[in-house]
Amino acid sequence: METRFWQQSYDYNVPTTIRYPKFPVQNFVHLAAAQYPHKAAVDFCGATFTNTEVRDAMLRMANALGHLGVSKGDRVGIALPNCPQYIIAYYAVLSAGAIVVNMNPLYTRSELLFMMHNTEMKVLFTYDTALDTMGPLAAELGCTLIVTQMEDFMNRTGAGAAEKMSLQDGWYSFSGLLARCTDTRLPRIAFTPGDPALIQFTGGTTGLPKGALLSHGNVVAATFQAVLWGNSTIIYAPHAERAVMGVIPYFHIFANICCLNYGFLNIATQIQMPRFDLDELLATFARTGRITFFPSVPTMMTAVVNHPQAKELRLGQKIAHVNTGGAPMPLELIAKIRDMGIFYTEGWGMSETTCMGICNPGLKPKSGSIGVPVMDADVRLISVENDVDEARPGEPGEILIKSPTVMMGYWNNPAETAAQLKDAWLSTGDIGQMDEDGYITIVDRKKDMIIAGGFNIYPREVDEVLYAHPKVAEAVTVGIPDAYRGETVKVFVVLKEGAEATDREIISFCKEKLAPYKVPKFVEFRPSIPKSAVGKILRKILREEEIAKNRS
């Protein structure tokens, strides 16, 4: 097979390789502040902060961390929703030479305890409404807390009172630290591309999360890839007018690269929202100007596109480009977005690949595929039958990837690192098919594949059929234990508002479009389907529920 033959499918002005600068991640802020000092870096609920203001706050906080004893290589957690404080803390930690540990502030105590203990976290940034969970954890592990309030940066006061938050001894007010430290000099720390920058936790085979360790070089490479991949459409927007919608959570690698770091390298104002609320998102579209880039997830786009206000807001004139990841986008929804006049691309990535690894070209996407390997990435598909042979063209195989964005390894977990990384090739666990142009279609997760009566069934194929049903809003397919077939197919369905359907109706619809062995045997209607913080459907939870039922 010709090396990187898929590059013939790249857009006309997208490079096939990049000379990545050997600077640390925080230099993205310095670049933006030097070129557009007065442009808004952030718009948070209507309050704006310029590139210069963010740089100033970043350096003051970095030097404040130094006074608290944070040094190169220390781990510092950030458990915050999207807000200017997250941005300041993130780049301050990196500027101080420390490693950011991204954490979902809504995680349970046990999940947070494992992450904090595993990384031997020295300092944790969080906010007042999470203190009931974070406070006892910090005390138990001897971790210093830096606490903020959302409203401090909603009204631009930035002056939260420590006494108002009832901070204990050894805890610090975020705004208080900024107010007391006026030192805006660059910390005198040497950086190399191989220095660790982030620990991104993701699911583990043992049930415990694994921390993907990402270097400054990984993050810089991923950000340049994301920015330059968008050359075909972004070039038409002057830098002074560029804006990116920041509603997916920044503690997730997708937003970390495609909103946060992308925003500064592209000098795009980040329209930040602390959570996904459909009415608030539509109100934000109404009050802001044109959004040049909207990183999103399928569940979010489903809600936006199907909302009655979508038409009157003329979203096609508000949004230039939507990119989704994290889960497959139903083909019907892709068609609706394009019908609005919005450029749409779907991509693929993992925490272990520092976000993007495969993506559709902006001008030549193939609906239903995740696109082609991005610049400087190599991809192989390995047979699902023996995990050794290369899959033949058009046949399913596990995706292996080698790229400048592939992680250094898993933090403090050499066994998982050895299992997933071999000779710099990352085993992704995703099963895909590659066509003659290099476009890859995800068939499913290797661990999600259903084996029923000796047949391999890919849940996504059944999902796509269900999404084509006119009464179905959301659906997910899982394999459940079956005494005779080993596994059989069950689907969970959320109906559109006001719709009614029976399990017989759903099964009959599937019989018209699927081979008999793929047709679901059971249908369960639910008001909602469990999802992660970024809107990815949690198929694993549903499968575990069914296994537990079978045991009882």
Side-chain angles (χ1 to χ4, degrees), residues 52-326:
T52 298
E53 288 174 319
V54 171
R55 180 182 183 273
D56 179 81
M58 167 189 88
L59 292 172
R60 285 156 60 198
M61 184 60 75
N63 286 307
L65 289 172
H67 296 319
L68 293 178
V70 173
S71 56
K72 190 171 184 179
D74 286 341
R75 276 73 64 199
V76 177
I78 305 180
L80 291 170
N82 294 1
C83 57
Q85 298 96 306
Y86 180 97
I87 295 175
I88 293 164
Y90 174 85
Y91 289 113
V93 171
L94 296 177
S95 296
I99 304 169
V100 170
V101 183
N102 269 320
M103 302 166 70
N104 182 344
L106 300 180
Y107 274 159
T108 63
R109 182 188 185 281
S110 60
E111 289 171 313
L112 294 166
L113 175 63
F114 174 80
M115 293 176 181
M116 294 172 70
H117 184 266
N118 179 257
T119 59
E120 300 179 56
M121 194 175 292
K122 190 167 189 174
V123 174
L124 172 62
F125 286 88
T126 190
Y127 64 128
D128 53 347
T129 56
L131 282 177
D132 287 347
T133 301
M134 303 298 179
L137 282 172
E140 182 178 342
L141 297 175
C143 178
T144 299
L145 275 187
I146 300 175
V147 188
T148 189
Q149 301 172 114
M150 292 296 99
E151 56 265 31
D152 286 355
F153 284 75
M154 285 180 177
N155 55 22
R156 281 196 55 89
T157 62
E163 59 273 14
K164 181 180 173 185
M165 291 189 283
S166 301
L167 298 184
Q168 298 179 13
D169 290 342
W171 296 3
Y172 296 88
S173 159
F174 186 101
S175 300
L177 284 175
L178 281 181
R180 288 192 296 275
C181 185
T182 58
D183 188 355
T184 57
R185 291 175 295 175
L186 295 171
R188 304 305 194 247
I189 296 170
F191 289 93
T192 70
D195 287 337
L198 297 181
I199 296 175
Q200 289 286 149
F201 277 96
T202 185
T205 54
T206 62
L208 295 172
K210 305 172 293 187
L213 182 62
L214 308 175
S215 68
H216 279 267
N218 288 150
V219 177
V220 168
T223 306
F224 269 87
Q225 287 178 357
V227 168
L228 294 177
W229 193 258
N231 267 358
S232 59
T233 57
I234 196 69
I235 56 167
Y236 298 104
H239 284 89
E241 298 174 12
R242 294 183 184 183
V244 56
M245 178 58 74
V247 63
I248 53 177
Y250 279 31
F251 53 73
H252 191 276
I253 193 62
F254 184 17
N256 192 281
I257 299 301
C258 291
C259 295
L260 176 60
N261 293 304
Y262 173 100
F264 283 102
L265 180 56
N266 229 336
I267 315 180
T269 301
Q270 298 171 49
I271 313 295
Q272 271 195 323
M273 294 182 62
R275 64 185 180 279
F276 171 58
D277 179 282
L278 182 55
D279 291 334
E280 289 180 12
L281 178 59
L282 293 172
T284 301
F285 282 133
R287 76 165 178 82
T288 57
R290 188 159 168 79
I291 305 296
T292 46
F293 186 46
F294 182 12
S296 185
V297 291
T299 50
M300 190 181 297
M301 291 310 302
T302 299
V304 170
V305 170
N306 291 327
H307 195 279
Q309 287 185 29
K311 191 170 184 179
E312 64 185 74
L313 281 173
R314 297 183 178 179
L315 291 181
Q317 297 178 30
K318 299 288 291 187
I319 305 168
H321 196 127
V322 168
N323 174 264
T324 66

Side-chain angles (χ1 to χ4, degrees), residues 311-369:
K311 191 170 184 179
E312 64 185 74
L313 281 173
R314 297 183 178 179
L315 291 181
Q317 297 178 30
K318 299 288 291 187
I319 305 168
H321 196 127
V322 168
N323 174 264
T324 66
M329 177 77 96
L331 298 179
E332 179 187 7
L333 187 60
I334 294 174
K336 280 188 177 182
I337 293 170
R338 290 188 174 144
D339 287 345
M340 291 180 173
I342 299 171
F343 273 77
Y344 168 79
T345 53
E346 188 171 3
W348 170 94
M350 309 167 69
S351 296
E352 291 90 339
T353 63
T354 323
C355 187
M356 194 168 73
I358 301 167
C359 197
N360 266 285
L363 299 181
K364 192 185 175 185
K366 284 190 180 181
S367 292
S369 86

Side-chain angles (χ1 to χ4, degrees), residues 430-508:
D430 279 323
I431 300 172
Q433 294 172 305
M434 181 183 286
D435 69 15
E436 66 279 2
D437 296 319
Y439 286 79
I440 297 172
T441 300
I442 292 289
V443 179
D444 236 305
R445 289 289 293 168
K446 191 174 182 180
K447 63 186 178 184
D448 289 336
M449 186 172 68
I450 302 167
I451 304 176
F455 290 102
N456 291 348
I457 302 169
Y458 298 106
R460 182 182 175 183
E461 185 179 0
V462 184
D463 291 349
E464 286 288 352
V465 170
L466 292 166
Y467 271 104
H469 193 289
K471 295 181 181 179
V472 172
E474 290 185 318
V476 61
T477 306
V478 300
I480 65 172
D482 182 83
Y484 177 64
R485 303 178 76 206
E487 285 185 298
T488 194
V489 180
K490 179 171 181 176
V491 297
F492 297 82
V493 172
V494 177
L495 295 173
K496 292 179 179 177
E497 189 174 350
E500 294 182 2
T502 65
D503 54 353
R504 182 176 296 179
E505 180 181 346
I506 298 296
I507 291 171
S508 296

